[in-house]
Structure formats: C-alpha cells, structure tokens
Amino acid sequence: MSYNFQPEEYVPILKSIFHDAYLLKEDKKLDIKSMQKVIRRFPKSHGKLFAKYELLKGYNYLIEKGELVKNAEIEFQLRMKPTRSISGVLPLTVLTKPYPCPGKCIFCPNDVRMPKSYLSDEPGAQRAERNNFDPYLQTFNRLKAFASTGHTVSKVELIILGGTWSYYPEAYQIWFIKRCFEALNDFGNKDQRSEVELTSVNAFNTKVVPSEAKLAAQEINYNQAVAKVDRDQLLKEKASWDELEKLHIVNSTSNVKCVGLVIETRPDHISEKEVLRVRRLGATKTQIGFQSLSDKVLELNKRGHLTAATRRAVSLVRSAGFKIHAHWMPNLYGSDPTADKLDFAKLWTPDYQPDELKIYPCSLIASAELMQYFEKGLWKPYTREELLDVLTYALSNTPRYVRLTRVIRDIPSTDIVVGNKLTNFRELVEQELKVRKIVLQDIRSREIKGELPSEVDISLKITSYDAKNSYGETREHFIEFITTNDKICGFLRLSLPKSNLEEHFVSELKNTGIIREVHVYGTSIAVGEKSGEGVQHLGLGKKLIAKAEEMSREAGFTKLAVISAIGTRGYYDKLGYNLIDLYQVKDL
C-alpha cells in the first residue's frame, strides 16, 4: 500500500463523494454498503476506485480547507478496521524478545524465533519480528499505521506480551517499557524522522536457531535453543527507574497517553514484591495463565504449579487493584468436555472472579511435547460438536461483568496439526446461541459501539459479587450505564474490602476502597476534546466515579484510591485524587 496520494489533485471528485455521503446520512443511517455505492459512483480515473486511506486523506484535506464539516458517521465508515478503537481506547500490542521460560507445559509450542508460547506466523509476532523486537519501533510504527488508517491515537492501552514477563531481568523490563513510552511521547512530535533513524537498532539474530526437527523430537528444549541465540544480546538492554519515571511524567501530558498498561505472567511468579514492581512500571492489568482449575490436569500437563498458586496470585493482584485478565484452556490432556464445563463454572467463585477472559482451546502444534502424546493415542482434539458444546456453555455462562476478549487463538491453520483450524469459531458459537434464543451478557457482546444514545436512554445498573483478596473477602461492584436494550455505555469496577486492611502491603491502600477500572465505550476521541457526538462526550466517567465515591462513603470508607494509568493521572487529579507513590487517593 502506498501513502503518496495527493488529495489536492482530486478535489472536485472528492467533494462530490462527500456531498452525496452527507445527503445520504441525512436521509438514513450511513452504513458500509451505502458508502460503497457512493464511492463507486465517483471513480478516481478509468474506473479505478478510491482506496479507503485515500478517501480519509481527502476528507481531512477538505476539512482543513474549510470545504467540509466533521462528521462522526462518515469518519467511522472511512476508518480501516474501525472496531479496533470502537471500545474508546486503542489497544496496541508489543512483544518481548525470545527468552528462557520457567514453564515446561506440554501444550506450549517451541518456536525459538519467538517469546515462549508464540508462533512466528501470528500477526502480532510477525510485526514484532519485522521491528527486530525493539519496543520503540513496534510502538511507533503501530501508531503510525493506526493514524494513517483513521484511528484516533491519543489514548492507548499498551499490551506487552511474550512468555513470562516476571521471568525477564528487571533491567530489561524497565528498558522495554521505557522504549515504549519514548515512542508514545515522540509520536506526533517527531513523525518526520528518517527511516534510517527509525531502523537503527540491533536486529535479534535468529540465524543460529536450531532446526525445527530437533525441537519436535525433543532433542533440545526451548530454553537451550534460545540460549544459543546470542544470550548476551538478550541481557544487554537496561535502563534505570529514574529514566522511566521521567518519561512517565512526560506522558501524563503528551499527545499520545498510555491509559492502560498490561503485562502477562504465570501465577507462580506473582508475589507482593512483584506486584509492587509491576505497578511501579505503570501496569494496571495482568494477564494470568490459569489454563485449568484442576490440580490433576495441571500436573498432567506439566504446568509447574497447582491451583493454590493461581488463587494466591489472584488475591494479590486484586488487593492491589489490578484488573485480572485470565487465560483458560479447554481440551487439555486429562480433561474432557464435561470436566471442562465444571472447570469453567469454578471461574466465577470467590477464589477467582476474573474481569476479562481469553478462552484458548488446546491446539496441537508440531513442536509441542503434546505431539508425542497424540502419536501414542493419549490425547486427541475435541470434535467440532464437542468443542461447540463446551464453548456454547462457556459463552452463555459468562457473567455480565466480564469481558470475553477472545474465544479462539489466532493461530494460522498451517501450524495446527489436527483439530479446529477455524479462527472464526466464535461466530459459529454465537450463531448456535441465537438458534437457542440465548442472549449473551458478557461486556464485549453488549458494547454500545457506534450507536449514539441520548442521556434519557441511559440508566444505571449495579451488579455486586464476592471475591477474595489477600486479607479475606471483598465486595466487588460492577457499576454500569446501560441503554434500554442493555447495551453498555460505560462501567466502573469498585472493590470494597470487607476486612480491616491496616497491614496492607501497599501502604496507600490501607483501609481504602479501590476503583480498579473506569471505561467509557464508543469511538475513541482525542484527549481534551470537548465537543462532538458519541458516548464519550456524555461525562459518564465522572458520573460513575461520583457513584463509586457515594457507595464508598456509605460503606464506611473515608478514602478511595484508584489504580490510575500514567496517562490518566491528570484526569483523576482534576477530580481530587492525589498521587501518593503508586496510587491516586482521595479523602471522602
């Protein structure tokens, strides 16, 4: 794709396209099909149609020249993959370098070109490899791609994936996040830098990677293989806490703010010390590999920990206010469809209660140790009917306060030896549930997306449930604004501990309630933008926070803390929340 399109050469045709689009919008709701009809009526030349990015560039050009007025519906139709930012925040994923992993899970692939558990054919992994696993390049170039396809990039959730984050050296972790924040802070200020400058990093050397045949035959394991790939290079990147924290301060007022930071790790690598360190890095959410809640299944799959470690990890991160994003895997060795459904039900007991969930049915990858079990007839993939049965149960039993982010992992079919190869299996499940007339309640199924409700169509709903923290139990409150047809416009997660927290390992959280998440849905708007249409202009975030403060006072709390992201500190500061070390706290 070339981005050298010059809109000034096509002004009359572009004006005709947008003139008809505006008229169409006034007549009825503008959708993809109707917009495409307009585009086909006005070809660029010799019947060649305008590409989306060309129309977007032309639209912005005409806005700047005063020839058009901004329109949210037209912008939405011009945006490439508009659902990426329809949740109000733009998710941006970066991957760490390959590095030894403490786990020996039999289901895990062994692609030494990638961090543990990832495959080089996966889209995110390919982007990471193209950028030499450099966090700056991954972040900056992803922002550039998003901006060029019409997305607002002022509010970013930075998702750091790759193996077990907590197992990487601390100096590398600090350096990695520092480089991400440098890219966020630079974008919009240094966009015109040369390609030479942008690519002047040391490539991760994969030329000495052992053959896949050796890995498949288990002659050499992942950790041994990665150790052969210039181990010194893996460990040389480092930065100081002081360097990172200076960039945090810059980001709180930058054009591209980090409004959420996510790391992924194993339950057995979460401790009080680790929670504090990850929080200092700026993290607000943890992705945790539960995989199974059966000790027997965990042992059979050589997971390296039991459910007690998962329970402890969840209680620690909840005590510190983190959002909990669990990974759960049906079809593991030693399980079956009936056992998986019972296992899924355990997720919603007080010991666990994750806020978000990825469901990854076990896939057979040739380099995984599980291949040997399959060849011996000890494990087999579920049939289509069995998998459909498990997933329809899971989707229909996911609570309304949980976001089901993914149901099938995006593994290329060429990498899967046997079993399900359909990445759109979630759609098949949803179709089955429609036939059964079952309405899904999870957050992702109820997001408001592009709809534009008025305040009179929105009401407040509170769902409360019990969960465990490090000191006993907490009452969790999911406070949401919903439309008359139960679409979710925004929500807040409020955690009110039931026990006295004088001994809390986070000093600023002693005897406080905690706002763990505030999220307002609808197409993302730029930070500081005051006018316009959409859910993000209704002030729902402030109303949700006011309700949380009211509920906290009624429960007897004199203070309320928030686990704010680096880029949202200014927002909470204006609402009276003062930064005390790692959290912002308000006296009630």
Side-chain angles (χ1 to χ4, degrees):
M1 181 185 291
S2 172
Y3 292 100
N4 296 322
F5 174 72
Q6 302 298 320
E8 56 270 24
E9 298 176 13
Y10 301 93
V11 168
I13 307 175
L14 289 168
K15 288 176 71 173
S16 297
I17 288 174
F18 292 118
H19 176 266
D20 278 25
Y22 275 65
L23 288 178
L24 186 61
K25 176 190 174 293
E26 293 174 5
D27 183 50
K28 63 176 183 178
K29 183 176 176 61
L30 187 65
D31 57 22
I32 294 174
K33 288 184 178 179
S34 57
M35 188 68 188
Q36 287 175 341
K37 287 180 181 178
V38 173
I39 295 169
R40 284 196 292 269
R41 280 204 297 272
F42 301 98
K44 185 164 51 175
S45 60
H46 308 295
K48 189 174 182 180
L49 302 179
F50 285 94
K52 258 192 175 184
Y53 81 92
E54 294 174 332
L55 289 171
L56 181 65
K57 197 168 184 179
Y59 170 84
N60 289 326
Y61 176 81
L62 293 174
I63 293 289
E64 290 174 10
K65 294 296 182 181
E67 301 282 351
L68 291 177
V69 293
K70 290 174 72 67
N71 181 272
E73 284 188 52
I74 290 177
E75 288 179 7
F76 181 79
Q77 295 304 331
L78 293 178
R79 193 173 297 133
M80 295 178 70
K81 295 186 178 179
T83 53
R84 289 195 188 279
S85 57
I86 199 66
S87 294
V89 172
L90 193 67
L92 192 155
T93 301
V94 293
L95 265 71
T96 52
K97 283 184 178 180
Y99 189 74
C101 176
K104 298 179 181 178
C105 311
I106 66 172
F107 50 79
C108 199
N110 289 283
D111 188 337
V112 295
R113 295 165 294 180
M114 292 292 130
K116 195 70 167 74
S117 86
Y118 289 87
L119 294 162
S120 59
D121 290 342
E122 294 179 275
Q126 290 179 331
R127 288 194 297 269
E129 191 170 28
R130 283 198 301 270
N131 288 287
N132 300 325
F133 292 96
D134 182 87
Y136 184 99
L137 294 185
Q138 290 184 69
T139 305
F140 193 95
N141 288 332
R142 196 68 175 138
L143 287 171
K144 193 173 181 180
F146 282 140
S148 66
T149 52
H151 293 276
T152 300
V153 297
S154 75
K155 292 184 284 188
V156 169
E157 180 183 46
L158 187 63
I159 304 169
I160 301 172
L161 302 180
T164 302
W165 171 261
S166 305
Y167 199 65
Y168 283 78
E170 181 179 277
Y172 175 81
Q173 292 183 30
I174 298 170
W175 171 84
F176 191 96
I177 292 181
K178 169 182 170 285
R179 290 283 285 165
C180 290
F181 272 92
E182 284 176 335
L184 293 174
N185 295 344
D186 284 352
F187 195 81
N189 298 318
K190 300 181 180 180
D191 291 358
Q192 305 307 314
R193 63 186 61 202
S194 68
E195 287 299 315
V196 174
E197 184 182 358
L198 276 176
T199 56
S200 60
V201 295
N202 293 319
F204 177 69
N205 180 17
T206 59
K207 293 180 181 178
V208 293
V209 177
S211 70
E212 290 187 10
K214 284 188 175 182
L215 282 168
Q218 300 297 306
E219 293 177 19
I220 184 171
N221 64 34
Y222 176 89
N223 289 355
Q224 292 169 331
V226 171
K228 291 178 178 291
V229 189
D230 193 0
R231 181 82 180 267
D232 292 336
Q233 183 180 322
L234 285 170
L235 298 174
K236 74 178 181 179
E237 294 96 345
K238 56 185 65 177
S240 68
W241 283 109
D242 184 58
E243 289 175 302
L244 174 61
E245 286 161 359
K246 285 179 180 177
L247 290 170
H248 281 174
I249 293 171
V250 173
N251 187 256
S252 64
T253 58
S254 72
N255 293 327
V256 184
K257 292 178 171 61
C258 179
V259 299
L261 197 158
V262 188
I263 58 97
E264 68 170 347
T265 192
R266 290 166 53 97
D268 53 339
H269 278 261
I270 294 176
S271 62
E272 290 184 0
K273 181 180 178 181
E274 176 66 7
V275 169
L276 289 170
R277 186 162 60 85
V278 169
R279 179 63 192 135
R280 189 177 179 187
L281 290 169
T284 55
K285 182 192 298 184
T286 55
Q287 292 199 34
I288 307 175
F290 287 19
Q291 317 310 16
S292 173
L293 300 180
S294 163
D295 284 345
K296 173 189 171 185
V297 172
L298 291 174
E299 286 182 322
L300 287 171
N301 287 271
K302 301 181 183 180
R303 179 63 178 160
H305 68 79
L306 300 178
T307 54
T310 306
R311 290 193 295 273
R312 182 173 183 273
V314 169
S315 68
L316 279 171
V317 294
R318 192 187 305 280
S319 296
F322 282 81
K323 279 75 72 180
I324 302 162
H325 192 167
H327 297 186
W328 180 74
M329 295 182 67
N331 200 186
L332 287 173
Y333 173 54
S335 191
D336 59 62
T338 300
D340 280 341
K341 287 189 279 188
L342 292 172
D343 202 69
F344 185 84
K346 291 180 187 176
L347 287 169
W348 319 117
T349 57
D351 281 332
Y352 306 105
Q353 292 286 16
D355 306 300
E356 299 184 23
L357 183 67
K358 287 182 180 178
I359 300 178
Y360 286 157
C362 185
S363 296
L364 182 61
I365 308 300
S367 62
E369 186 181 345
L370 184 63
M371 187 70 183
Q372 298 177 25
Y373 292 70
F374 170 71
E375 290 172 342
K376 294 176 182 177
L378 299 174
W379 175 90
K380 63 179 181 179
Y382 288 165
T383 63
R384 182 186 183 281
E385 291 70 26
E386 288 173 326
L387 185 58
L388 186 64
D389 177 48
V390 171
L391 295 183
T392 51
Y393 175 86
L395 267 67
S396 58
N397 285 279
T398 301
R400 66 184 294 112
Y401 49 84
V402 174
R403 189 171 196 271
L404 196 50
T405 55
R406 190 176 286 274
V407 172
I408 298 289
R409 186 168 166 180
D410 193 14
I411 298 175
S413 60
T414 51
D415 287 321
I416 299 173
V417 179
V418 292
N420 173 62
K421 298 185 180 184
L422 298 175
T423 55
N424 70 333
F425 203 89
R426 179 178 190 150
E427 295 175 21
L428 301 180
V429 177
E430 291 174 345
Q431 289 169 9
E432 175 66 22
L433 291 170
K434 282 184 180 179
V435 172
R436 299 186 192 182
K437 297 182 179 179
I438 295 174
V439 178
L440 298 180
Q441 293 192 77
D442 78 285
I443 293 172
R444 189 175 183 272
S445 299
R446 298 189 297 114
E447 290 175 13
I448 189 67
K449 297 185 179 178
E451 296 180 34
L452 301 174
S454 65
E455 286 191 77
V456 295
D457 297 324
I458 299 173
S459 61
L460 195 69
K461 181 178 176 64
I462 301 174
T463 303
S464 302
Y465 55 96
D466 289 327
K468 297 282 184 66
N469 63 17
S470 298
Y471 307 95
E473 283 198 344
T474 176
R475 189 67 171 165
E476 298 290 312
H477 301 281
F478 182 71
I479 310 167
E480 57 181 325
F481 276 112
I482 58 172
T483 64
T484 52
N485 60 344
D486 202 28
K487 293 293 183 181
I488 185 168
C489 302
F491 68 85
L492 181 148
R493 299 186 190 275
L494 173 65
S495 184
L496 297 179
K498 293 184 177 181
S499 53
N500 188 300
L501 301 185
E502 283 293 341
E503 304 302 320
H504 203 296
F505 69 94
V506 183
S507 60
E508 55 266 51
L509 296 184
K510 291 180 179 179
N511 298 316
T512 67
I514 311 171
I515 294 176
R516 297 195 298 117
E517 182 176 15
V518 180
H519 196 122
V520 177
Y521 284 94
T523 303
S524 180
I525 60 169
V527 172
E529 196 171 308
K530 298 296 183 183
S531 61
E533 301 174 321
V535 175
Q536 293 207 346
H537 293 282
L538 297 178
L540 299 186
K542 292 178 181 178
K543 294 174 182 177
L544 288 165
I545 293 169
K547 183 63 179 178
E549 292 173 1
E550 175 191 322
M551 292 175 66
S552 299
R553 280 192 295 267
E554 290 175 352
F557 289 89
T558 58
K559 294 187 298 179
L560 183 60
V562 60
I563 182 168
S564 54
I566 302 303
T568 61
R569 286 177 177 174
Y571 175 81
Y572 288 106
D573 184 62
K574 292 176 183 177
L575 298 178
Y577 289 81
N578 301 309
L579 183 63
I580 305 174
D581 199 9
L582 302 178
Y583 294 79
Q584 287 180 266
V585 183
K586 181 177 183 178
D587 290 326
L588 300 177

